[in-house]
Amino acid sequence: MGISLVIAFIRGWILTLLCLSTFPVLVVAQMFQIQFIAGAGGASKKVYERAGSIATESIAAIRTVASFAAEDKVSRHGGSWEGDSRHRCDR
């Protein structure tokens, strides 16, 4: 990069100084972009963490029901419980 700057100064020093004057603006813009991307990543990380915890709790609840062997009870009495729940909702 140093050699290219020397050649640029020799060929057209005014244009080279003009181009170099935009360098600080580009650096500041890049800093803002990095902060914005980091902030957006942090927010999505929180959302994914919450979704993961909900999924983990759901799986744990399913395992609890399976450990009490309640599937048979639900399948045998499912029809009668379903009617009862409909009646309760109508009140």
PDB file of all heavy atoms in Angstrom, residues 6-47:
ATOM      1  N   VAL A   6       2.907   6.297  -2.840  1.00  0.00           N
ATOM      2  CA  VAL A   6       4.012   7.072  -3.423  1.00  0.00           C
ATOM      3  C   VAL A   6       3.738   7.334  -4.898  1.00  0.00           C
ATOM      4  O   VAL A   6       3.887   8.474  -5.386  1.00  0.00           O
ATOM      5  CB  VAL A   6       5.358   6.324  -3.229  1.00  0.00           C
ATOM      6  CG1 VAL A   6       6.476   6.988  -4.041  1.00  0.00           C
ATOM      7  CG2 VAL A   6       5.723   6.274  -1.758  1.00  0.00           C
ATOM      8  N   ILE A   7       3.319   6.321  -5.618  1.00  0.00           N
ATOM      9  CA  ILE A   7       3.008   6.491  -7.044  1.00  0.00           C
ATOM     10  C   ILE A   7       1.846   7.463  -7.218  1.00  0.00           C
ATOM     11  O   ILE A   7       1.860   8.327  -8.107  1.00  0.00           O
ATOM     12  CB  ILE A   7       2.695   5.129  -7.692  1.00  0.00           C
ATOM     13  CG1 ILE A   7       3.955   4.260  -7.700  1.00  0.00           C
ATOM     14  CG2 ILE A   7       2.158   5.315  -9.106  1.00  0.00           C
ATOM     15  CD1 ILE A   7       3.706   2.839  -8.139  1.00  0.00           C
ATOM     16  N   ALA A   8       0.838   7.369  -6.354  1.00  0.00           N
ATOM     17  CA  ALA A   8      -0.309   8.264  -6.448  1.00  0.00           C
ATOM     18  C   ALA A   8       0.104   9.715  -6.193  1.00  0.00           C
ATOM     19  O   ALA A   8      -0.356  10.623  -6.905  1.00  0.00           O
ATOM     20  CB  ALA A   8      -1.382   7.841  -5.457  1.00  0.00           C
ATOM     21  N   PHE A   9       0.980   9.947  -5.218  1.00  0.00           N
ATOM     22  CA  PHE A   9       1.443  11.310  -4.959  1.00  0.00           C
ATOM     23  C   PHE A   9       2.251  11.851  -6.136  1.00  0.00           C
ATOM     24  O   PHE A   9       2.159  13.035  -6.464  1.00  0.00           O
ATOM     25  CB  PHE A   9       2.278  11.366  -3.671  1.00  0.00           C
ATOM     26  CG  PHE A   9       1.467  11.637  -2.442  1.00  0.00           C
ATOM     27  CD1 PHE A   9       1.382  10.690  -1.433  1.00  0.00           C
ATOM     28  CD2 PHE A   9       0.803  12.840  -2.282  1.00  0.00           C
ATOM     29  CE1 PHE A   9       0.640  10.932  -0.295  1.00  0.00           C
ATOM     30  CE2 PHE A   9       0.058  13.089  -1.144  1.00  0.00           C
ATOM     31  CZ  PHE A   9      -0.027  12.132  -0.136  1.00  0.00           C
ATOM     32  N   ILE A  10       3.050  11.011  -6.769  1.00  0.00           N
ATOM     33  CA  ILE A  10       3.852  11.458  -7.904  1.00  0.00           C
ATOM     34  C   ILE A  10       2.950  11.801  -9.096  1.00  0.00           C
ATOM     35  O   ILE A  10       3.137  12.820  -9.758  1.00  0.00           O
ATOM     36  CB  ILE A  10       4.890  10.384  -8.291  1.00  0.00           C
ATOM     37  CG1 ILE A  10       5.945  10.278  -7.193  1.00  0.00           C
ATOM     38  CG2 ILE A  10       5.558  10.717  -9.631  1.00  0.00           C
ATOM     39  CD1 ILE A  10       6.894   9.103  -7.357  1.00  0.00           C
ATOM     40  N   ARG A  11       1.943  10.955  -9.363  1.00  0.00           N
ATOM     41  CA  ARG A  11       1.084  11.143 -10.537  1.00  0.00           C
ATOM     42  C   ARG A  11       0.082  12.282 -10.348  1.00  0.00           C
ATOM     43  O   ARG A  11      -0.169  13.029 -11.278  1.00  0.00           O
ATOM     44  CB  ARG A  11       0.334   9.859 -10.866  1.00  0.00           C
ATOM     45  CG  ARG A  11       1.227   8.685 -11.183  1.00  0.00           C
ATOM     46  CD  ARG A  11       1.884   8.811 -12.507  1.00  0.00           C
ATOM     47  NE  ARG A  11       0.913   8.449 -13.529  1.00  0.00           N
ATOM     48  CZ  ARG A  11       1.048   8.691 -14.796  1.00  0.00           C
ATOM     49  NH1 ARG A  11       2.122   9.294 -15.226  1.00  0.00           N
ATOM     50  NH2 ARG A  11       0.142   8.330 -15.637  1.00  0.00           N
ATOM     51  N   GLY A  12      -0.514  12.387  -9.196  1.00  0.00           N
ATOM     52  CA  GLY A  12      -1.517  13.430  -8.979  1.00  0.00           C
ATOM     53  C   GLY A  12      -1.730  13.647  -7.506  1.00  0.00           C
ATOM     54  O   GLY A  12      -2.594  13.016  -6.889  1.00  0.00           O
ATOM     55  N   TRP A  13      -0.970  14.550  -6.939  1.00  0.00           N
ATOM     56  CA  TRP A  13      -0.986  14.721  -5.501  1.00  0.00           C
ATOM     57  C   TRP A  13      -2.299  15.306  -4.985  1.00  0.00           C
ATOM     58  O   TRP A  13      -2.729  15.002  -3.882  1.00  0.00           O
ATOM     59  CB  TRP A  13       0.209  15.556  -5.052  1.00  0.00           C
ATOM     60  CG  TRP A  13       0.212  16.961  -5.590  1.00  0.00           C
ATOM     61  CD1 TRP A  13       0.720  17.380  -6.771  1.00  0.00           C
ATOM     62  CD2 TRP A  13      -0.339  18.100  -4.943  1.00  0.00           C
ATOM     63  NE1 TRP A  13       0.535  18.718  -6.925  1.00  0.00           N
ATOM     64  CE2 TRP A  13      -0.118  19.195  -5.809  1.00  0.00           C
ATOM     65  CE3 TRP A  13      -0.975  18.322  -3.737  1.00  0.00           C
ATOM     66  CZ2 TRP A  13      -0.533  20.489  -5.506  1.00  0.00           C
ATOM     67  CZ3 TRP A  13      -1.377  19.610  -3.433  1.00  0.00           C
ATOM     68  CH2 TRP A  13      -1.167  20.674  -4.303  1.00  0.00           C
ATOM     69  N   ILE A  14      -2.967  16.116  -5.792  1.00  0.00           N
ATOM     70  CA  ILE A  14      -4.227  16.719  -5.343  1.00  0.00           C
ATOM     71  C   ILE A  14      -5.307  15.638  -5.203  1.00  0.00           C
ATOM     72  O   ILE A  14      -6.028  15.573  -4.194  1.00  0.00           O
ATOM     73  CB  ILE A  14      -4.686  17.818  -6.317  1.00  0.00           C
ATOM     74  CG1 ILE A  14      -3.675  18.958  -6.306  1.00  0.00           C
ATOM     75  CG2 ILE A  14      -6.059  18.341  -5.916  1.00  0.00           C
ATOM     76  CD1 ILE A  14      -3.967  20.036  -7.327  1.00  0.00           C
ATOM     77  N   LEU A  15      -5.413  14.781  -6.215  1.00  0.00           N
ATOM     78  CA  LEU A  15      -6.400  13.698  -6.161  1.00  0.00           C
ATOM     79  C   LEU A  15      -6.070  12.719  -5.030  1.00  0.00           C
ATOM     80  O   LEU A  15      -6.970  12.225  -4.352  1.00  0.00           O
ATOM     81  CB  LEU A  15      -6.451  12.976  -7.504  1.00  0.00           C
ATOM     82  CG  LEU A  15      -7.504  11.881  -7.629  1.00  0.00           C
ATOM     83  CD1 LEU A  15      -8.891  12.461  -7.409  1.00  0.00           C
ATOM     84  CD2 LEU A  15      -7.413  11.216  -8.988  1.00  0.00           C
ATOM     85  N   THR A  16      -4.815  12.459  -4.787  1.00  0.00           N
ATOM     86  CA  THR A  16      -4.409  11.563  -3.712  1.00  0.00           C
ATOM     87  C   THR A  16      -4.806  12.138  -2.354  1.00  0.00           C
ATOM     88  O   THR A  16      -5.333  11.419  -1.502  1.00  0.00           O
ATOM     89  CB  THR A  16      -2.891  11.320  -3.754  1.00  0.00           C
ATOM     90  OG1 THR A  16      -2.535  10.849  -5.040  1.00  0.00           O
ATOM     91  CG2 THR A  16      -2.458  10.332  -2.700  1.00  0.00           C
ATOM     92  N   LEU A  17      -4.566  13.429  -2.141  1.00  0.00           N
ATOM     93  CA  LEU A  17      -4.968  14.048  -0.882  1.00  0.00           C
ATOM     94  C   LEU A  17      -6.487  14.050  -0.713  1.00  0.00           C
ATOM     95  O   LEU A  17      -7.000  13.841   0.393  1.00  0.00           O
ATOM     96  CB  LEU A  17      -4.432  15.481  -0.801  1.00  0.00           C
ATOM     97  CG  LEU A  17      -2.927  15.613  -0.590  1.00  0.00           C
ATOM     98  CD1 LEU A  17      -2.519  17.084  -0.595  1.00  0.00           C
ATOM     99  CD2 LEU A  17      -2.513  14.958   0.715  1.00  0.00           C
ATOM    100  N   LEU A  18      -7.202  14.250  -1.807  1.00  0.00           N
ATOM    101  CA  LEU A  18      -8.658  14.207  -1.743  1.00  0.00           C
ATOM    102  C   LEU A  18      -9.152  12.816  -1.341  1.00  0.00           C
ATOM    103  O   LEU A  18     -10.035  12.676  -0.490  1.00  0.00           O
ATOM    104  CB  LEU A  18      -9.250  14.619  -3.095  1.00  0.00           C
ATOM    105  CG  LEU A  18     -10.769  14.619  -3.180  1.00  0.00           C
ATOM    106  CD1 LEU A  18     -11.331  15.723  -2.301  1.00  0.00           C
ATOM    107  CD2 LEU A  18     -11.208  14.813  -4.609  1.00  0.00           C
ATOM    108  N   CYS A  19      -8.558  11.790  -1.935  1.00  0.00           N
ATOM    109  CA  CYS A  19      -8.952  10.412  -1.592  1.00  0.00           C
ATOM    110  C   CYS A  19      -8.583  10.062  -0.161  1.00  0.00           C
ATOM    111  O   CYS A  19      -9.350   9.393   0.543  1.00  0.00           O
ATOM    112  CB  CYS A  19      -8.307   9.431  -2.564  1.00  0.00           C
ATOM    113  SG  CYS A  19      -8.971   9.541  -4.231  1.00  0.00           S
ATOM    114  N   LEU A  20      -7.413  10.502   0.286  1.00  0.00           N
ATOM    115  CA  LEU A  20      -6.999  10.225   1.664  1.00  0.00           C
ATOM    116  C   LEU A  20      -7.849  10.973   2.688  1.00  0.00           C
ATOM    117  O   LEU A  20      -7.993  10.513   3.832  1.00  0.00           O
ATOM    118  CB  LEU A  20      -5.523  10.570   1.856  1.00  0.00           C
ATOM    119  CG  LEU A  20      -4.520   9.596   1.235  1.00  0.00           C
ATOM    120  CD1 LEU A  20      -3.094  10.100   1.442  1.00  0.00           C
ATOM    121  CD2 LEU A  20      -4.672   8.218   1.845  1.00  0.00           C
ATOM    122  N   SER A  21      -8.424  12.093   2.300  1.00  0.00           N
ATOM    123  CA  SER A  21      -9.251  12.842   3.247  1.00  0.00           C
ATOM    124  C   SER A  21     -10.563  12.121   3.543  1.00  0.00           C
ATOM    125  O   SER A  21     -11.194  12.397   4.568  1.00  0.00           O
ATOM    126  CB  SER A  21      -9.524  14.250   2.713  1.00  0.00           C
ATOM    127  OG  SER A  21     -10.351  14.177   1.566  1.00  0.00           O
ATOM    128  N   THR A  22     -10.996  11.215   2.682  1.00  0.00           N
ATOM    129  CA  THR A  22     -12.229  10.465   2.934  1.00  0.00           C
ATOM    130  C   THR A  22     -11.988   9.251   3.828  1.00  0.00           C
ATOM    131  O   THR A  22     -12.946   8.647   4.303  1.00  0.00           O
ATOM    132  CB  THR A  22     -12.852   9.988   1.608  1.00  0.00           C
ATOM    133  OG1 THR A  22     -11.942   9.106   0.954  1.00  0.00           O
ATOM    134  CG2 THR A  22     -13.187  11.156   0.713  1.00  0.00           C
ATOM    135  N   PHE A  23     -10.746   8.909   4.069  1.00  0.00           N
ATOM    136  CA  PHE A  23     -10.423   7.731   4.880  1.00  0.00           C
ATOM    137  C   PHE A  23     -11.005   7.788   6.294  1.00  0.00           C
ATOM    138  O   PHE A  23     -11.597   6.811   6.756  1.00  0.00           O
ATOM    139  CB  PHE A  23      -8.907   7.517   4.895  1.00  0.00           C
ATOM    140  CG  PHE A  23      -8.497   6.265   5.587  1.00  0.00           C
ATOM    141  CD1 PHE A  23      -8.708   5.025   5.001  1.00  0.00           C
ATOM    142  CD2 PHE A  23      -7.889   6.313   6.834  1.00  0.00           C
ATOM    143  CE1 PHE A  23      -8.343   3.858   5.643  1.00  0.00           C
ATOM    144  CE2 PHE A  23      -7.512   5.156   7.472  1.00  0.00           C
ATOM    145  CZ  PHE A  23      -7.735   3.920   6.880  1.00  0.00           C
ATOM    146  N   PRO A  24     -10.866   8.896   7.034  1.00  0.00           N
ATOM    147  CA  PRO A  24     -11.455   8.937   8.383  1.00  0.00           C
ATOM    148  C   PRO A  24     -12.982   8.759   8.373  1.00  0.00           C
ATOM    149  O   PRO A  24     -13.542   8.118   9.264  1.00  0.00           O
ATOM    150  CB  PRO A  24     -11.088  10.319   8.908  1.00  0.00           C
ATOM    151  CG  PRO A  24      -9.905  10.730   8.113  1.00  0.00           C
ATOM    152  CD  PRO A  24     -10.069  10.097   6.772  1.00  0.00           C
ATOM    153  N   VAL A  25     -13.657   9.287   7.365  1.00  0.00           N
ATOM    154  CA  VAL A  25     -15.104   9.127   7.269  1.00  0.00           C
ATOM    155  C   VAL A  25     -15.450   7.652   7.090  1.00  0.00           C
ATOM    156  O   VAL A  25     -16.395   7.135   7.700  1.00  0.00           O
ATOM    157  CB  VAL A  25     -15.661   9.974   6.102  1.00  0.00           C
ATOM    158  CG1 VAL A  25     -17.142   9.721   5.905  1.00  0.00           C
ATOM    159  CG2 VAL A  25     -15.388  11.447   6.336  1.00  0.00           C
ATOM    160  N   LEU A  26     -14.693   6.950   6.263  1.00  0.00           N
ATOM    161  CA  LEU A  26     -14.934   5.528   6.050  1.00  0.00           C
ATOM    162  C   LEU A  26     -14.685   4.716   7.323  1.00  0.00           C
ATOM    163  O   LEU A  26     -15.415   3.769   7.620  1.00  0.00           O
ATOM    164  CB  LEU A  26     -14.052   5.010   4.907  1.00  0.00           C
ATOM    165  CG  LEU A  26     -14.351   5.570   3.520  1.00  0.00           C
ATOM    166  CD1 LEU A  26     -13.308   5.073   2.520  1.00  0.00           C
ATOM    167  CD2 LEU A  26     -15.742   5.174   3.076  1.00  0.00           C
ATOM    168  N   VAL A  27     -13.682   5.083   8.082  1.00  0.00           N
ATOM    169  CA  VAL A  27     -13.381   4.376   9.327  1.00  0.00           C
ATOM    170  C   VAL A  27     -14.511   4.564  10.336  1.00  0.00           C
ATOM    171  O   VAL A  27     -14.959   3.594  10.976  1.00  0.00           O
ATOM    172  CB  VAL A  27     -12.032   4.862   9.916  1.00  0.00           C
ATOM    173  CG1 VAL A  27     -11.825   4.347  11.326  1.00  0.00           C
ATOM    174  CG2 VAL A  27     -10.889   4.445   9.006  1.00  0.00           C
ATOM    175  N   VAL A  28     -15.015   5.772  10.459  1.00  0.00           N
ATOM    176  CA  VAL A  28     -16.115   6.038  11.397  1.00  0.00           C
ATOM    177  C   VAL A  28     -17.374   5.289  10.957  1.00  0.00           C
ATOM    178  O   VAL A  28     -18.082   4.695  11.788  1.00  0.00           O
ATOM    179  CB  VAL A  28     -16.373   7.558  11.503  1.00  0.00           C
ATOM    180  CG1 VAL A  28     -17.647   7.853  12.274  1.00  0.00           C
ATOM    181  CG2 VAL A  28     -15.188   8.252  12.154  1.00  0.00           C
ATOM    182  N   ALA A  29     -17.664   5.285   9.674  1.00  0.00           N
ATOM    183  CA  ALA A  29     -18.835   4.562   9.172  1.00  0.00           C
ATOM    184  C   ALA A  29     -18.719   3.072   9.444  1.00  0.00           C
ATOM    185  O   ALA A  29     -19.705   2.415   9.805  1.00  0.00           O
ATOM    186  CB  ALA A  29     -18.998   4.816   7.676  1.00  0.00           C
ATOM    187  N   GLN A  30     -17.539   2.524   9.293  1.00  0.00           N
ATOM    188  CA  GLN A  30     -17.313   1.107   9.570  1.00  0.00           C
ATOM    189  C   GLN A  30     -17.513   0.796  11.051  1.00  0.00           C
ATOM    190  O   GLN A  30     -18.071  -0.249  11.399  1.00  0.00           O
ATOM    191  CB  GLN A  30     -15.906   0.703   9.127  1.00  0.00           C
ATOM    192  CG  GLN A  30     -15.618  -0.761   9.264  1.00  0.00           C
ATOM    193  CD  GLN A  30     -16.436  -1.601   8.298  1.00  0.00           C
ATOM    194  OE1 GLN A  30     -16.793  -1.161   7.225  1.00  0.00           O
ATOM    195  NE2 GLN A  30     -16.737  -2.815   8.696  1.00  0.00           N
ATOM    196  N   MET A  31     -17.103   1.692  11.923  1.00  0.00           N
ATOM    197  CA  MET A  31     -17.294   1.491  13.362  1.00  0.00           C
ATOM    198  C   MET A  31     -18.784   1.443  13.703  1.00  0.00           C
ATOM    199  O   MET A  31     -19.228   0.595  14.476  1.00  0.00           O
ATOM    200  CB  MET A  31     -16.594   2.597  14.150  1.00  0.00           C
ATOM    201  CG  MET A  31     -15.082   2.488  14.156  1.00  0.00           C
ATOM    202  SD  MET A  31     -14.215   3.886  14.897  1.00  0.00           S
ATOM    203  CE  MET A  31     -15.133   4.198  16.370  1.00  0.00           C
ATOM    204  N   PHE A  32     -19.575   2.357  13.123  1.00  0.00           N
ATOM    205  CA  PHE A  32     -21.018   2.345  13.359  1.00  0.00           C
ATOM    206  C   PHE A  32     -21.658   1.063  12.838  1.00  0.00           C
ATOM    207  O   PHE A  32     -22.555   0.498  13.456  1.00  0.00           O
ATOM    208  CB  PHE A  32     -21.692   3.557  12.719  1.00  0.00           C
ATOM    209  CG  PHE A  32     -21.508   4.827  13.495  1.00  0.00           C
ATOM    210  CD1 PHE A  32     -21.014   5.963  12.884  1.00  0.00           C
ATOM    211  CD2 PHE A  32     -21.839   4.900  14.841  1.00  0.00           C
ATOM    212  CE1 PHE A  32     -20.850   7.137  13.581  1.00  0.00           C
ATOM    213  CE2 PHE A  32     -21.677   6.067  15.563  1.00  0.00           C
ATOM    214  CZ  PHE A  32     -21.185   7.197  14.924  1.00  0.00           C
ATOM    215  N   GLN A  33     -21.197   0.601  11.700  1.00  0.00           N
ATOM    216  CA  GLN A  33     -21.745  -0.628  11.120  1.00  0.00           C
ATOM    217  C   GLN A  33     -21.452  -1.827  12.029  1.00  0.00           C
ATOM    218  O   GLN A  33     -22.319  -2.675  12.254  1.00  0.00           O
ATOM    219  CB  GLN A  33     -21.166  -0.859   9.734  1.00  0.00           C
ATOM    220  CG  GLN A  33     -21.751  -2.062   9.038  1.00  0.00           C
ATOM    221  CD  GLN A  33     -21.186  -2.236   7.635  1.00  0.00           C
ATOM    222  OE1 GLN A  33     -20.215  -1.612   7.251  1.00  0.00           O
ATOM    223  NE2 GLN A  33     -21.811  -3.118   6.872  1.00  0.00           N
ATOM    224  N   ILE A  34     -20.265  -1.903  12.554  1.00  0.00           N
ATOM    225  CA  ILE A  34     -19.899  -3.012  13.449  1.00  0.00           C
ATOM    226  C   ILE A  34     -20.753  -2.979  14.715  1.00  0.00           C
ATOM    227  O   ILE A  34     -21.239  -4.012  15.175  1.00  0.00           O
ATOM    228  CB  ILE A  34     -18.396  -2.949  13.783  1.00  0.00           C
ATOM    229  CG1 ILE A  34     -17.576  -3.319  12.548  1.00  0.00           C
ATOM    230  CG2 ILE A  34     -18.052  -3.846  14.956  1.00  0.00           C
ATOM    231  CD1 ILE A  34     -16.097  -3.081  12.700  1.00  0.00           C
ATOM    232  N   GLN A  35     -20.975  -1.794  15.284  1.00  0.00           N
ATOM    233  CA  GLN A  35     -21.804  -1.684  16.481  1.00  0.00           C
ATOM    234  C   GLN A  35     -23.247  -2.079  16.184  1.00  0.00           C
ATOM    235  O   GLN A  35     -23.897  -2.731  16.995  1.00  0.00           O
ATOM    236  CB  GLN A  35     -21.754  -0.267  17.030  1.00  0.00           C
ATOM    237  CG  GLN A  35     -20.434   0.085  17.665  1.00  0.00           C
ATOM    238  CD  GLN A  35     -20.397   1.522  18.146  1.00  0.00           C
ATOM    239  OE1 GLN A  35     -21.291   2.319  17.876  1.00  0.00           O
ATOM    240  NE2 GLN A  35     -19.337   1.878  18.864  1.00  0.00           N
ATOM    241  N   PHE A  36     -23.762  -1.689  15.029  1.00  0.00           N
ATOM    242  CA  PHE A  36     -25.135  -2.030  14.662  1.00  0.00           C
ATOM    243  C   PHE A  36     -25.305  -3.532  14.500  1.00  0.00           C
ATOM    244  O   PHE A  36     -26.264  -4.120  14.988  1.00  0.00           O
ATOM    245  CB  PHE A  36     -25.511  -1.311  13.359  1.00  0.00           C
ATOM    246  CG  PHE A  36     -26.889  -1.657  12.875  1.00  0.00           C
ATOM    247  CD1 PHE A  36     -28.005  -1.147  13.503  1.00  0.00           C
ATOM    248  CD2 PHE A  36     -27.055  -2.504  11.796  1.00  0.00           C
ATOM    249  CE1 PHE A  36     -29.277  -1.462  13.067  1.00  0.00           C
ATOM    250  CE2 PHE A  36     -28.318  -2.831  11.346  1.00  0.00           C
ATOM    251  CZ  PHE A  36     -29.438  -2.304  11.983  1.00  0.00           C
ATOM    252  N   ILE A  37     -24.363  -4.168  13.832  1.00  0.00           N
ATOM    253  CA  ILE A  37     -24.435  -5.615  13.615  1.00  0.00           C
ATOM    254  C   ILE A  37     -24.318  -6.358  14.942  1.00  0.00           C
ATOM    255  O   ILE A  37     -25.032  -7.330  15.192  1.00  0.00           O
ATOM    256  CB  ILE A  37     -23.359  -6.073  12.608  1.00  0.00           C
ATOM    257  CG1 ILE A  37     -23.708  -5.541  11.217  1.00  0.00           C
ATOM    258  CG2 ILE A  37     -23.220  -7.584  12.595  1.00  0.00           C
ATOM    259  CD1 ILE A  37     -22.627  -5.762  10.185  1.00  0.00           C
ATOM    260  N   ALA A  38     -23.443  -5.899  15.813  1.00  0.00           N
ATOM    261  CA  ALA A  38     -23.289  -6.536  17.118  1.00  0.00           C
ATOM    262  C   ALA A  38     -24.559  -6.389  17.952  1.00  0.00           C
ATOM    263  O   ALA A  38     -24.978  -7.322  18.634  1.00  0.00           O
ATOM    264  CB  ALA A  38     -22.103  -5.933  17.858  1.00  0.00           C
ATOM    265  N   GLY A  39     -25.212  -5.245  17.881  1.00  0.00           N
ATOM    266  CA  GLY A  39     -26.459  -5.036  18.626  1.00  0.00           C
ATOM    267  C   GLY A  39     -27.578  -5.913  18.113  1.00  0.00           C
ATOM    268  O   GLY A  39     -28.350  -6.479  18.887  1.00  0.00           O
ATOM    269  N   ALA A  40     -27.682  -6.062  16.800  1.00  0.00           N
ATOM    270  CA  ALA A  40     -28.728  -6.902  16.220  1.00  0.00           C
ATOM    271  C   ALA A  40     -28.481  -8.367  16.565  1.00  0.00           C
ATOM    272  O   ALA A  40     -29.420  -9.120  16.813  1.00  0.00           O
ATOM    273  CB  ALA A  40     -28.775  -6.706  14.706  1.00  0.00           C
ATOM    274  N   GLY A  41     -27.240  -8.766  16.587  1.00  0.00           N
ATOM    275  CA  GLY A  41     -26.917 -10.144  16.946  1.00  0.00           C
ATOM    276  C   GLY A  41     -27.249 -10.456  18.384  1.00  0.00           C
ATOM    277  O   GLY A  41     -27.699 -11.553  18.709  1.00  0.00           O
ATOM    278  N   GLY A  42     -27.061  -9.500  19.270  1.00  0.00           N
ATOM    279  CA  GLY A  42     -27.377  -9.706  20.673  1.00  0.00           C
ATOM    280  C   GLY A  42     -28.868  -9.883  20.901  1.00  0.00           C
ATOM    281  O   GLY A  42     -29.295 -10.707  21.709  1.00  0.00           O
ATOM    282  N   ALA A  43     -29.677  -9.124  20.175  1.00  0.00           N
ATOM    283  CA  ALA A  43     -31.129  -9.239  20.325  1.00  0.00           C
ATOM    284  C   ALA A  43     -31.625 -10.590  19.820  1.00  0.00           C
ATOM    285  O   ALA A  43     -32.467 -11.227  20.460  1.00  0.00           O
ATOM    286  CB  ALA A  43     -31.820  -8.108  19.571  1.00  0.00           C
ATOM    287  N   SER A  44     -31.118 -11.033  18.691  1.00  0.00           N
ATOM    288  CA  SER A  44     -31.567 -12.320  18.168  1.00  0.00           C
ATOM    289  C   SER A  44     -31.072 -13.468  19.048  1.00  0.00           C
ATOM    290  O   SER A  44     -31.752 -14.487  19.170  1.00  0.00           O
ATOM    291  CB  SER A  44     -31.084 -12.522  16.731  1.00  0.00           C
ATOM    292  OG  SER A  44     -29.679 -12.595  16.673  1.00  0.00           O
ATOM    293  N   LYS A  45     -29.934 -13.287  19.695  1.00  0.00           N
ATOM    294  CA  LYS A  45     -29.432 -14.319  20.593  1.00  0.00           C
ATOM    295  C   LYS A  45     -30.386 -14.510  21.767  1.00  0.00           C
ATOM    296  O   LYS A  45     -30.674 -15.639  22.158  1.00  0.00           O
ATOM    297  CB  LYS A  45     -28.044 -13.931  21.105  1.00  0.00           C
ATOM    298  CG  LYS A  45     -27.431 -14.963  22.024  1.00  0.00           C
ATOM    299  CD  LYS A  45     -26.065 -14.525  22.525  1.00  0.00           C
ATOM    300  CE  LYS A  45     -25.524 -15.537  23.495  1.00  0.00           C
ATOM    301  NZ  LYS A  45     -24.287 -15.101  24.112  1.00  0.00           N
ATOM    302  N   LYS A  46     -30.920 -13.414  22.297  1.00  0.00           N
ATOM    303  CA  LYS A  46     -31.872 -13.508  23.409  1.00  0.00           C
ATOM    304  C   LYS A  46     -33.143 -14.234  22.971  1.00  0.00           C
ATOM    305  O   LYS A  46     -33.700 -15.035  23.719  1.00  0.00           O
ATOM    306  CB  LYS A  46     -32.217 -12.113  23.924  1.00  0.00           C
ATOM    307  CG  LYS A  46     -31.096 -11.437  24.658  1.00  0.00           C
ATOM    308  CD  LYS A  46     -31.478 -10.060  25.118  1.00  0.00           C
ATOM    309  CE  LYS A  46     -30.304  -9.370  25.788  1.00  0.00           C
ATOM    310  NZ  LYS A  46     -30.631  -8.005  26.207  1.00  0.00           N
ATOM    311  N   VAL A  47     -33.604 -13.959  21.757  1.00  0.00           N
ATOM    312  CA  VAL A  47     -34.811 -14.610  21.252  1.00  0.00           C
ATOM    313  C   VAL A  47     -34.584 -16.111  21.114  1.00  0.00           C
ATOM    314  O   VAL A  47     -35.437 -16.926  21.495  1.00  0.00           O
ATOM    315  CB  VAL A  47     -35.232 -13.989  19.902  1.00  0.00           C
ATOM    316  CG1 VAL A  47     -36.337 -14.795  19.254  1.00  0.00           C
ATOM    317  CG2 VAL A  47     -35.671 -12.554  20.096  1.00  0.00           C
TER     318      VAL A  47
END
